Amino acid sequence: MSKITKIVFVSNFFNHHQKFLSDELYNLIGDGYKFIATVPMNEGRKALGWKQYDLNYIEYSYKSREDYEKCMALINDADVLIVGSAPEKMVRDRIISNKLTFRYSERFLREGLELKKFLYRFVKYRYLNPSCKSVYLLCASAYTSEDYRKLGMFKKRAFKWAYFTEAIKYDDISHLLKSKNKTEILWCGRFLKLKHLEDVITAVGKLVNEGYNCTLKVIGGGNEVSINEYNTIAHSTCDKEFLTFLG
């Protein structure tokens, strides 16, 4: 393959999950890197405090017909395309043309193997990702490759992926370690059943029962599971107060 000079990342909306990787790709190839946002950030994410960025490499396909056509040209002309959550019509021609494309995905069998959904995905996903085309999988979960393997897909075409974060380098971390509270555990996330905060609460409660001096502080929110439910789990695990919700 010739030198890669054009990389396009297309997904729903730009956020901190993609920023640090995007910054590095932009540093590597300059204006050859573009991120295409296909929809505005939703109100739910804004309410969680997600920042909206205005960066040189971001394009918005939804703002006008002209913007959409510009983004389609970027997609079809890219040396490498990374696809997250985006309309299939935007990438279909490129895949059929056998141009190098990477789909990044979390696992989709979070709730187990439901036959009706499984059969639907089996037909749809295999149609959208023909094994004879240059389509590869970037796994944003330890279980993603196994989920797709059950569909008979991406064999020897799946790679580890991540939500890349900024790495801060320290010449000396001794002062940082001294400033940390060694008895405090912090959990951050949305209150979703699939995140299993209850397991963390139970584990810390058992540590406290065994005589360890530690506490659990939680930052997050959501409506799938209530704070009262988590407090009930904590109290059933341990008589001592060790759980604090910070908001």
Side-chain angles (χ1 to χ4, degrees):
M1 176 182 282
S2 58
K3 183 178 179 181
I4 293 174
T5 60
K6 298 177 182 177
I7 301 175
V8 172
F9 193 151
V10 56
S11 195
N12 48 11
F13 47 81
F14 187 84
N15 60 73
H16 55 283
H17 289 130
Q18 299 103 359
K19 182 179 185 300
F20 300 108
L21 173 65
S22 292
D23 287 347
E24 289 304 312
L25 290 174
Y26 184 72
N27 289 338
L28 285 172
I29 60 174
D31 290 335
Y33 174 73
K34 296 293 182 183
F35 182 98
I36 296 174
T38 60
V39 296
M41 183 180 290
N42 60 52
E43 295 302 319
R45 291 295 188 265
K46 292 178 185 177
L48 288 172
W50 286 27
K51 182 178 178 180
Q52 296 182 78
Y53 297 90
D54 184 17
L55 300 167
N56 291 336
Y57 52 74
I58 304 177
E59 302 286 344
Y60 304 91
S61 66
Y62 58 88
K63 287 189 173 182
S64 69
R65 184 66 192 177
E66 182 180 347
D67 287 321
Y68 180 82
E69 291 174 353
K70 177 183 178 181
C71 289
M72 287 302 301
L74 288 169
I75 288 170
N76 289 320
D77 192 42
D79 298 320
V80 177
L81 179 70
I82 302 171
V83 185
S85 178
E88 284 299 322
K89 64 180 180 179
M90 297 184 74
V91 301
R92 187 62 182 165
D93 287 348
R94 178 186 176 88
I95 290 174
I96 295 301
S97 299
N98 205 31
K99 296 179 179 179
L100 184 58
T101 303
F102 293 87
R103 290 192 184 272
Y104 90 87
S105 173
E106 295 185 352
R107 73 172 313 189
F108 58 86
L109 295 178
R110 291 188 179 101
E111 298 178 3
L113 201 61
E114 300 176 64
L115 184 59
K116 184 182 291 187
K117 289 183 179 180
F118 181 82
L119 292 175
Y120 170 77
R121 287 169 174 143
F122 182 86
V123 174
K124 178 182 177 181
Y125 290 7
R126 290 175 68 91
Y127 170 75
L128 296 175
N129 303 282
S131 59
C132 60
K133 301 299 182 181
S134 299
V135 188
Y136 298 83
L137 180 65
L138 302 176
C139 303
S141 163
Y143 303 97
T144 304
S145 61
E146 178 64 17
D147 284 0
Y148 280 95
R149 188 193 65 79
K150 288 182 171 67
L151 299 177
M153 295 178 61
F154 296 115
K155 183 178 180 181
K156 296 183 179 180
R157 289 186 170 208
F159 301 90
K160 291 181 180 179
W161 194 242
Y163 292 118
F164 299 93
T165 57
E166 183 179 22
I168 302 174
K169 294 183 179 179
Y170 297 91
D171 294 328
D172 180 11
I173 65 169
S174 58
H175 68 285
L176 183 65
L177 293 174
K178 289 178 181 177
S179 68
K180 288 184 175 294
N181 184 341
K182 296 181 175 62
T183 65
E184 184 178 292
I185 299 169
L186 180 66
W187 187 95
C188 300
R190 288 184 292 156
F191 295 167
L192 302 178
K193 292 179 181 178
L194 63 88
K195 292 186 180 292
H196 294 294
L197 172 56
E198 72 278 2
D199 290 342
V200 180
I201 293 171
T202 300
V204 176
K206 288 182 177 179
L207 288 173
V208 174
N209 283 336
E210 292 175 11
Y212 291 93
N213 179 24
C214 59
T215 59
L216 174 63
K217 294 187 176 181
V218 173
I219 299 174
N223 53 20
E224 275 197 18
V225 187
S226 70
I227 290 177
N228 286 339
E229 289 177 80
Y230 288 133
N231 277 323
T232 299
I233 294 169
H235 291 146
S236 67
T237 305
C238 178
D239 293 334
K240 298 179 181 178
E241 295 293 332
F242 66 90
L243 175 63
T244 304
F245 290 91
L246 302 177

